[in-house]
Amino acid sequence: MASLAFSAWLAWYLSTPIRHLRAAFGATAAGQLDTRIGARMGRRRDEIADLGRHFDQMAGQLQTLVSSQQRLLHDVSHELRSPLARLEAAIGLARQRPEKLNDTLDRIEREAVRLDQLVGELLTLSRMQAGMARPADEEIDLVELIREIALDARFEVQATGRHVEFVGAGEALVIANAELLHRALENVVRNAVKFTNEGTAVEVEITRHDNSNQLLVTVSDRGPGVPEAELQAIFEPFFRSETKVKKAGFGLGLAIARRAIETHGGSIRAGNRPDGGLKIEIVLPADY
């Protein structure tokens, strides 16, 4: 009897969490991505409990990815609606007032260019999220790359009362997808130039990070900064701070930059400067 009782208890002990797992997999497959089973495992410390914890991690990642995709689809729809509405209005105006045709065509051209830029940035972001970007297989000098980006930005903003300062010397080699890394760094610098106050300078600097095999790139502006609660959100697609000065753009530049930097094994973070403005720090592994 004792043997039968023990066998029954053992069968129950092993089969119950397996039934929980099977039910959880079924619920997740049916779209219930908030399903979790960690609490049902009780105080178990065996392989089945580990499997339950791994399931919860997987379900959490799936929920995050799906929510992100849904939010992105909503934001894309919203961003596309505005230029399409303006195109429709411009076409209607051209039909009603033929004498204004040239002005209307100029407006249609601007909106078409805006749509083309938006679609291009969305395609870039989509490729990186899907892991379709060309692998990092080129050895490039990061100092020279950032110097070139800073000089280009300085030339473009010299008529606006703003300036771009670059600090960096020597050689800092990295293995990278040159086009992708160039775009990421350029997006960060252009964002700083866009928000720095008139009459101020954007400071771009590259140094060796803590005497290690990592390179630190900092881009600092003298703009309004970002509320502390939103410092991570600025790297999300289409994010726009409610308190930030409104500027033209889609809110994709920093999102593309983050994914490109992470693709290269690096990291990016933002912080407010004590004396005003935003400071973005990028860490990339150096190639010796």
Side-chain angles (χ1 to χ4, degrees):
M1 292 295 293
S3 177
L4 288 175
F6 176 77
S7 297
W9 174 84
L10 183 62
W12 171 85
Y13 183 76
L14 294 175
S15 63
T16 298
I18 293 175
R19 287 198 299 270
H20 289 327
L21 277 168
R22 183 168 54 196
F25 275 109
T28 303
Q32 300 175 28
L33 300 182
D34 58 346
T35 302
R36 303 290 186 272
I37 62 171
R40 297 183 182 181
M41 292 297 171
R43 297 182 178 180
R44 300 178 69 106
R45 293 294 182 269
D46 54 13
E47 287 79 2
I48 296 178
D50 290 339
L51 185 59
R53 286 189 289 272
H54 288 313
F55 172 85
D56 285 353
Q57 292 174 359
M58 178 198 70
Q61 291 176 344
L62 281 174
Q63 187 176 25
T64 299
L65 287 172
V66 171
S67 297
S68 176
Q69 291 297 323
Q70 291 175 340
R71 185 171 61 252
L72 180 61
L73 181 60
H74 173 271
D75 291 338
V76 168
S77 302
H78 177 76
E79 290 293 329
L80 287 173
R81 185 177 301 163
S82 296
L84 287 173
R86 289 191 291 267
L87 278 172
E88 184 177 358
I91 292 171
L93 182 62
R95 288 173 175 168
Q96 295 173 9
R97 305 183 64 180
E99 70 278 7
K100 297 282 189 177
L101 183 59
N102 287 336
D103 292 339
T104 305
L105 288 175
D106 289 341
R107 183 56 182 265
I108 291 175
E109 183 180 20
R110 288 197 301 272
E111 297 302 334
V113 169
R114 179 178 173 84
L115 279 171
D116 182 66
Q117 292 173 343
L118 174 57
V119 171
E121 292 193 0
L122 285 171
L123 286 174
T124 299
L125 186 62
S126 176
R127 291 191 188 101
M128 286 190 290
Q129 288 180 327
M132 296 172 59
R134 185 168 57 81
D137 55 5
E138 304 172 66
E139 187 177 66
I140 63 173
D141 182 2
L142 192 59
V143 174
E144 186 59 34
L145 176 63
I146 299 175
R147 179 186 289 113
E148 176 186 336
I149 293 171
L151 291 177
D152 287 344
R154 180 188 301 172
F155 176 77
E156 293 173 9
V157 302
Q158 60 185 352
T160 67
R162 296 171 176 84
H163 188 63
V164 178
E165 298 176 353
F166 172 74
V167 177
E171 188 178 64
L173 300 179
V174 295
I175 299 298
N177 174 332
E179 180 182 354
L180 192 59
L181 188 57
H182 183 283
R183 182 161 191 176
L185 296 170
E186 185 179 49
N187 284 352
V188 174
V189 172
R190 287 185 180 277
N191 185 78
V193 167
K194 183 189 300 182
F195 288 102
T196 199
N197 294 323
E198 187 174 347
T200 64
V202 170
E203 300 161 16
V204 183
E205 183 177 7
I206 175 171
T207 58
R208 183 74 60 174
H209 185 56
D210 295 336
N211 297 318
S212 68
N213 64 337
Q214 294 181 317
L215 301 170
L216 174 64
V217 179
T218 59
V219 180
S220 307
D221 65 52
R222 295 285 183 176
V226 175
E228 293 293 326
E230 299 177 353
L231 286 173
Q232 291 301 317
I234 64 174
F235 297 105
E236 294 299 323
F238 297 110
F239 175 80
R240 290 187 178 88
S241 174
E242 294 297 327
T243 59
K244 183 180 283 187
V245 178
K246 303 302 179 182
K247 298 285 185 177
F250 307 112
L252 287 172
L254 292 182
I256 291 174
R258 184 183 73 174
R259 282 158 179 78
I261 295 299
E262 290 175 349
T263 297
H264 286 84
S267 63
I268 182 170
R269 68 185 185 93
N272 287 307
R273 304 176 65 175
D275 52 350
L278 187 70
K279 179 179 181 180
I280 292 184
E281 295 182 339
I282 299 169
V283 178
L284 286 166
D287 177 44
Y288 285 100

mmCIF file of all heavy atoms in Angstrom, residues 12-28 35-42 44 48 51-52 55-56:
data_model
loop_
_atom_site.group_PDB
_atom_site.id
_atom_site.type_symbol
_atom_site.label_atom_id
_atom_site.label_comp_id
_atom_site.label_asym_id
_atom_site.label_seq_id
_atom_site.Cartn_x
_atom_site.Cartn_y
_atom_site.Cartn_z
ATOM 1 N N TRP A 12 1.490 12.052 -9.643
ATOM 2 C CA TRP A 12 0.819 13.360 -9.544
ATOM 3 C C TRP A 12 1.843 14.485 -9.530
ATOM 4 O O TRP A 12 1.663 15.519 -10.185
ATOM 5 C CB TRP A 12 -0.021 13.387 -8.267
ATOM 6 C CG TRP A 12 -0.579 14.756 -7.967
ATOM 7 C CD1 TRP A 12 -1.723 15.298 -8.451
ATOM 8 C CD2 TRP A 12 0.013 15.742 -7.105
ATOM 9 N NE1 TRP A 12 -1.887 16.575 -7.958
ATOM 10 C CE2 TRP A 12 -0.837 16.878 -7.133
ATOM 11 C CE3 TRP A 12 1.163 15.763 -6.327
ATOM 12 C CZ2 TRP A 12 -0.567 18.025 -6.399
ATOM 13 C CZ3 TRP A 12 1.433 16.908 -5.604
ATOM 14 C CH2 TRP A 12 0.585 18.024 -5.639
ATOM 15 N N TYR A 13 2.933 14.284 -8.767
ATOM 16 C CA TYR A 13 3.967 15.316 -8.632
ATOM 17 C C TYR A 13 4.612 15.643 -9.985
ATOM 18 O O TYR A 13 4.943 16.798 -10.262
ATOM 19 C CB TYR A 13 5.032 14.818 -7.651
ATOM 20 C CG TYR A 13 6.134 15.814 -7.368
ATOM 21 C CD1 TYR A 13 5.924 16.903 -6.521
ATOM 22 C CD2 TYR A 13 7.390 15.667 -7.957
ATOM 23 C CE1 TYR A 13 6.931 17.806 -6.258
ATOM 24 C CE2 TYR A 13 8.409 16.576 -7.700
ATOM 25 C CZ TYR A 13 8.176 17.644 -6.855
ATOM 26 O OH TYR A 13 9.180 18.551 -6.602
ATOM 27 N N LEU A 14 4.781 14.636 -10.821
ATOM 28 C CA LEU A 14 5.418 14.846 -12.123
ATOM 29 C C LEU A 14 4.431 15.299 -13.188
ATOM 30 O O LEU A 14 4.782 16.102 -14.063
ATOM 31 C CB LEU A 14 6.114 13.549 -12.578
ATOM 32 C CG LEU A 14 7.301 13.092 -11.734
ATOM 33 C CD1 LEU A 14 7.812 11.747 -12.231
ATOM 34 C CD2 LEU A 14 8.429 14.126 -11.785
ATOM 35 N N SER A 15 3.229 14.805 -13.131
ATOM 36 C CA SER A 15 2.274 15.094 -14.210
ATOM 37 C C SER A 15 1.604 16.456 -14.064
ATOM 38 O O SER A 15 1.266 17.096 -15.061
ATOM 39 C CB SER A 15 1.202 14.005 -14.270
ATOM 40 O OG SER A 15 0.439 13.977 -13.069
ATOM 41 N N THR A 16 1.418 16.921 -12.834
ATOM 42 C CA THR A 16 0.714 18.201 -12.640
ATOM 43 C C THR A 16 1.430 19.369 -13.314
ATOM 44 O O THR A 16 0.811 20.126 -14.073
ATOM 45 C CB THR A 16 0.523 18.483 -11.136
ATOM 46 O OG1 THR A 16 -0.286 17.453 -10.566
ATOM 47 C CG2 THR A 16 -0.150 19.833 -10.929
ATOM 48 N N PRO A 17 2.728 19.592 -13.074
ATOM 49 C CA PRO A 17 3.393 20.713 -13.756
ATOM 50 C C PRO A 17 3.450 20.525 -15.272
ATOM 51 O O PRO A 17 3.415 21.515 -16.011
ATOM 52 C CB PRO A 17 4.800 20.718 -13.152
ATOM 53 C CG PRO A 17 5.000 19.346 -12.615
ATOM 54 C CD PRO A 17 3.656 18.896 -12.160
ATOM 55 N N ILE A 18 3.500 19.270 -15.712
ATOM 56 C CA ILE A 18 3.495 19.039 -17.161
ATOM 57 C C ILE A 18 2.150 19.444 -17.752
ATOM 58 O O ILE A 18 2.083 20.039 -18.838
ATOM 59 C CB ILE A 18 3.823 17.566 -17.465
ATOM 60 C CG1 ILE A 18 5.273 17.277 -17.059
ATOM 61 C CG2 ILE A 18 3.609 17.254 -18.945
ATOM 62 C CD1 ILE A 18 5.669 15.826 -17.214
ATOM 63 N N ARG A 19 1.071 19.163 -17.020
ATOM 64 C CA ARG A 19 -0.252 19.606 -17.486
ATOM 65 C C ARG A 19 -0.331 21.131 -17.514
ATOM 66 O O ARG A 19 -0.915 21.723 -18.428
ATOM 67 C CB ARG A 19 -1.349 19.029 -16.590
ATOM 68 C CG ARG A 19 -1.593 17.540 -16.787
ATOM 69 C CD ARG A 19 -2.953 17.145 -16.219
ATOM 70 N NE ARG A 19 -3.023 17.416 -14.790
ATOM 71 C CZ ARG A 19 -2.667 16.547 -13.843
ATOM 72 N NH1 ARG A 19 -2.183 15.352 -14.191
ATOM 73 N NH2 ARG A 19 -2.775 16.855 -12.567
ATOM 74 N N HIS A 20 0.264 21.768 -16.494
ATOM 75 C CA HIS A 20 0.288 23.236 -16.484
ATOM 76 C C HIS A 20 1.043 23.769 -17.701
ATOM 77 O O HIS A 20 0.607 24.735 -18.342
ATOM 78 C CB HIS A 20 0.954 23.738 -15.195
ATOM 79 C CG HIS A 20 0.139 23.524 -13.958
ATOM 80 N ND1 HIS A 20 -1.228 23.579 -13.942
ATOM 81 C CD2 HIS A 20 0.526 23.263 -12.670
ATOM 82 C CE1 HIS A 20 -1.677 23.368 -12.717
ATOM 83 N NE2 HIS A 20 -0.628 23.163 -11.925
ATOM 84 N N LEU A 21 2.186 23.138 -17.997
ATOM 85 C CA LEU A 21 2.972 23.568 -19.153
ATOM 86 C C LEU A 21 2.194 23.383 -20.448
ATOM 87 O O LEU A 21 2.179 24.259 -21.320
ATOM 88 C CB LEU A 21 4.280 22.783 -19.211
ATOM 89 C CG LEU A 21 5.426 23.286 -18.335
ATOM 90 C CD1 LEU A 21 6.543 22.254 -18.283
ATOM 91 C CD2 LEU A 21 5.960 24.612 -18.869
ATOM 92 N N ARG A 22 1.537 22.253 -20.588
ATOM 93 C CA ARG A 22 0.787 21.977 -21.808
ATOM 94 C C ARG A 22 -0.351 22.984 -21.975
ATOM 95 O O ARG A 22 -0.586 23.505 -23.075
ATOM 96 C CB ARG A 22 0.236 20.553 -21.769
ATOM 97 C CG ARG A 22 -0.508 20.144 -23.040
ATOM 98 C CD ARG A 22 -0.758 18.658 -23.048
ATOM 99 N NE ARG A 22 -1.455 18.234 -21.823
ATOM 100 C CZ ARG A 22 -1.525 16.974 -21.418
ATOM 101 N NH1 ARG A 22 -0.923 16.019 -22.103
ATOM 102 N NH2 ARG A 22 -2.184 16.666 -20.306
ATOM 103 N N ALA A 23 -1.038 23.279 -20.884
ATOM 104 C CA ALA A 23 -2.121 24.270 -20.949
ATOM 105 C C ALA A 23 -1.580 25.658 -21.290
ATOM 106 O O ALA A 23 -2.192 26.415 -22.048
ATOM 107 C CB ALA A 23 -2.872 24.304 -19.614
ATOM 108 N N ALA A 24 -0.399 25.985 -20.723
ATOM 109 C CA ALA A 24 0.194 27.300 -20.991
ATOM 110 C C ALA A 24 0.609 27.423 -22.454
ATOM 111 O O ALA A 24 0.400 28.469 -23.089
ATOM 112 C CB ALA A 24 1.392 27.529 -20.077
ATOM 113 N N PHE A 25 1.199 26.369 -22.994
ATOM 114 C CA PHE A 25 1.573 26.398 -24.407
ATOM 115 C C PHE A 25 0.336 26.552 -25.284
ATOM 116 O O PHE A 25 0.348 27.286 -26.281
ATOM 117 C CB PHE A 25 2.331 25.126 -24.781
ATOM 118 C CG PHE A 25 3.802 25.182 -24.497
ATOM 119 C CD1 PHE A 25 4.353 24.431 -23.471
ATOM 120 C CD2 PHE A 25 4.636 26.005 -25.242
ATOM 121 C CE1 PHE A 25 5.712 24.489 -23.196
ATOM 122 C CE2 PHE A 25 5.992 26.073 -24.979
ATOM 123 C CZ PHE A 25 6.540 25.316 -23.954
ATOM 124 N N GLY A 26 -0.729 25.856 -24.921
ATOM 125 C CA GLY A 26 -1.961 25.980 -25.697
ATOM 126 C C GLY A 26 -2.531 27.389 -25.646
ATOM 127 O O GLY A 26 -2.980 27.932 -26.662
ATOM 128 N N ALA A 27 -2.506 27.999 -24.451
ATOM 129 C CA ALA A 27 -3.026 29.363 -24.309
ATOM 130 C C ALA A 27 -2.183 30.356 -25.097
ATOM 131 O O ALA A 27 -2.712 31.266 -25.753
ATOM 132 C CB ALA A 27 -3.066 29.745 -22.832
ATOM 133 N N THR A 28 -0.859 30.183 -25.049
ATOM 134 C CA THR A 28 0.025 31.083 -25.798
ATOM 135 C C THR A 28 -0.191 30.930 -27.298
ATOM 136 O O THR A 28 -0.231 31.913 -28.032
ATOM 137 C CB THR A 28 1.498 30.799 -25.444
ATOM 138 O OG1 THR A 28 1.682 30.946 -24.039
ATOM 139 C CG2 THR A 28 2.424 31.766 -26.179
ATOM 140 N N THR A 35 0.131 34.766 -20.593
ATOM 141 C CA THR A 35 0.127 33.530 -19.808
ATOM 142 C C THR A 35 1.464 33.323 -19.108
ATOM 143 O O THR A 35 2.523 33.423 -19.732
ATOM 144 C CB THR A 35 -0.159 32.318 -20.719
ATOM 145 O OG1 THR A 35 -1.417 32.506 -21.376
ATOM 146 C CG2 THR A 35 -0.193 31.031 -19.919
ATOM 147 N N ARG A 36 1.426 33.038 -17.813
ATOM 148 C CA ARG A 36 2.633 32.749 -17.036
ATOM 149 C C ARG A 36 2.330 31.567 -16.100
ATOM 150 O O ARG A 36 1.207 31.433 -15.601
ATOM 151 C CB ARG A 36 3.068 33.961 -16.192
ATOM 152 C CG ARG A 36 3.317 35.232 -16.995
ATOM 153 C CD ARG A 36 4.559 35.125 -17.869
ATOM 154 N NE ARG A 36 4.833 36.399 -18.511
ATOM 155 C CZ ARG A 36 4.319 36.784 -19.685
ATOM 156 N NH1 ARG A 36 3.482 35.970 -20.333
ATOM 157 N NH2 ARG A 36 4.619 37.944 -20.207
ATOM 158 N N ILE A 37 3.325 30.741 -15.847
ATOM 159 C CA ILE A 37 3.093 29.562 -15.014
ATOM 160 C C ILE A 37 4.083 29.455 -13.856
ATOM 161 O O ILE A 37 4.046 28.473 -13.111
ATOM 162 C CB ILE A 37 3.157 28.268 -15.855
ATOM 163 C CG1 ILE A 37 4.549 28.117 -16.473
ATOM 164 C CG2 ILE A 37 2.077 28.246 -16.900
ATOM 165 C CD1 ILE A 37 4.751 26.778 -17.127
ATOM 166 N N GLY A 38 4.952 30.428 -13.681
ATOM 167 C CA GLY A 38 5.946 30.356 -12.617
ATOM 168 C C GLY A 38 5.324 30.139 -11.251
ATOM 169 O O GLY A 38 5.808 29.328 -10.448
ATOM 170 N N ALA A 39 4.216 30.835 -10.962
ATOM 171 C CA ALA A 39 3.582 30.721 -9.646
ATOM 172 C C ALA A 39 3.008 29.326 -9.418
ATOM 173 O O ALA A 39 2.944 28.845 -8.278
ATOM 174 C CB ALA A 39 2.479 31.767 -9.517
ATOM 175 N N ARG A 40 2.605 28.653 -10.501
ATOM 176 C CA ARG A 40 2.019 27.316 -10.361
ATOM 177 C C ARG A 40 3.068 26.245 -10.052
ATOM 178 O O ARG A 40 2.715 25.131 -9.653
ATOM 179 C CB ARG A 40 1.278 26.938 -11.652
ATOM 180 C CG ARG A 40 0.109 27.847 -11.970
ATOM 181 C CD ARG A 40 -0.606 27.359 -13.210
ATOM 182 N NE ARG A 40 -1.706 28.229 -13.578
ATOM 183 C CZ ARG A 40 -2.504 28.006 -14.609
ATOM 184 N NH1 ARG A 40 -2.315 26.934 -15.375
ATOM 185 N NH2 ARG A 40 -3.485 28.843 -14.890
ATOM 186 N N MET A 41 4.332 26.580 -10.254
ATOM 187 C CA MET A 41 5.383 25.604 -9.984
ATOM 188 C C MET A 41 5.713 25.502 -8.499
ATOM 189 O O MET A 41 6.447 24.616 -8.070
ATOM 190 C CB MET A 41 6.647 25.981 -10.763
ATOM 191 C CG MET A 41 6.481 25.826 -12.255
ATOM 192 S SD MET A 41 6.167 24.119 -12.722
ATOM 193 C CE MET A 41 5.741 24.309 -14.457
ATOM 194 N N GLY A 42 5.164 26.424 -7.721
ATOM 195 C CA GLY A 42 5.387 26.366 -6.286
ATOM 196 C C GLY A 42 6.859 26.503 -5.929
ATOM 197 O O GLY A 42 7.580 27.339 -6.478
ATOM 198 N N ARG A 44 9.146 24.147 -6.313
ATOM 199 C CA ARG A 44 9.945 23.146 -7.023
ATOM 200 C C ARG A 44 11.288 23.734 -7.436
ATOM 201 O O ARG A 44 11.379 24.897 -7.815
ATOM 202 C CB ARG A 44 9.215 22.650 -8.273
ATOM 203 C CG ARG A 44 7.877 22.005 -7.998
ATOM 204 C CD ARG A 44 7.220 21.603 -9.304
ATOM 205 N NE ARG A 44 7.936 20.502 -9.928
ATOM 206 C CZ ARG A 44 7.510 19.250 -9.964
ATOM 207 N NH1 ARG A 44 6.359 18.931 -9.378
ATOM 208 N NH2 ARG A 44 8.214 18.311 -10.557
ATOM 209 N N ILE A 48 11.807 20.582 -14.289
ATOM 210 C CA ILE A 48 10.481 21.008 -14.748
ATOM 211 C C ILE A 48 10.220 22.456 -14.330
ATOM 212 O O ILE A 48 9.662 23.256 -15.098
ATOM 213 C CB ILE A 48 9.390 20.072 -14.196
ATOM 214 C CG1 ILE A 48 9.592 18.656 -14.753
ATOM 215 C CG2 ILE A 48 8.004 20.584 -14.572
ATOM 216 C CD1 ILE A 48 8.596 17.633 -14.233
ATOM 217 N N LEU A 51 12.087 24.630 -16.601
ATOM 218 C CA LEU A 51 11.372 24.735 -17.869
ATOM 219 C C LEU A 51 10.237 25.751 -17.766
ATOM 220 O O LEU A 51 9.987 26.523 -18.699
ATOM 221 C CB LEU A 51 10.826 23.364 -18.261
ATOM 222 C CG LEU A 51 10.138 23.262 -19.630
ATOM 223 C CD1 LEU A 51 11.101 23.656 -20.743
ATOM 224 C CD2 LEU A 51 9.604 21.848 -19.849
ATOM 225 N N GLY A 52 9.553 25.762 -16.613
ATOM 226 C CA GLY A 52 8.485 26.739 -16.409
ATOM 227 C C GLY A 52 9.005 28.165 -16.412
ATOM 228 O O GLY A 52 8.401 29.063 -16.992
ATOM 229 N N PHE A 55 9.807 29.120 -19.872
ATOM 230 C CA PHE A 55 8.571 29.420 -20.601
ATOM 231 C C PHE A 55 8.113 30.848 -20.326
ATOM 232 O O PHE A 55 7.717 31.577 -21.249
ATOM 233 C CB PHE A 55 7.460 28.445 -20.211
ATOM 234 C CG PHE A 55 6.112 28.817 -20.776
ATOM 235 C CD1 PHE A 55 5.751 28.427 -22.050
ATOM 236 C CD2 PHE A 55 5.233 29.591 -20.034
ATOM 237 C CE1 PHE A 55 4.521 28.799 -22.580
ATOM 238 C CE2 PHE A 55 4.003 29.978 -20.552
ATOM 239 C CZ PHE A 55 3.643 29.568 -21.834
ATOM 240 N N ASP A 56 8.150 31.252 -19.050
ATOM 241 C CA ASP A 56 7.725 32.608 -18.698
ATOM 242 C C ASP A 56 8.600 33.649 -19.389
ATOM 243 O O ASP A 56 8.098 34.689 -19.858
ATOM 244 C CB ASP A 56 7.777 32.802 -17.183
ATOM 245 C CG ASP A 56 6.633 32.095 -16.469
ATOM 246 O OD1 ASP A 56 5.739 31.575 -17.166
ATOM 247 O OD2 ASP A 56 6.629 32.065 -15.221
#
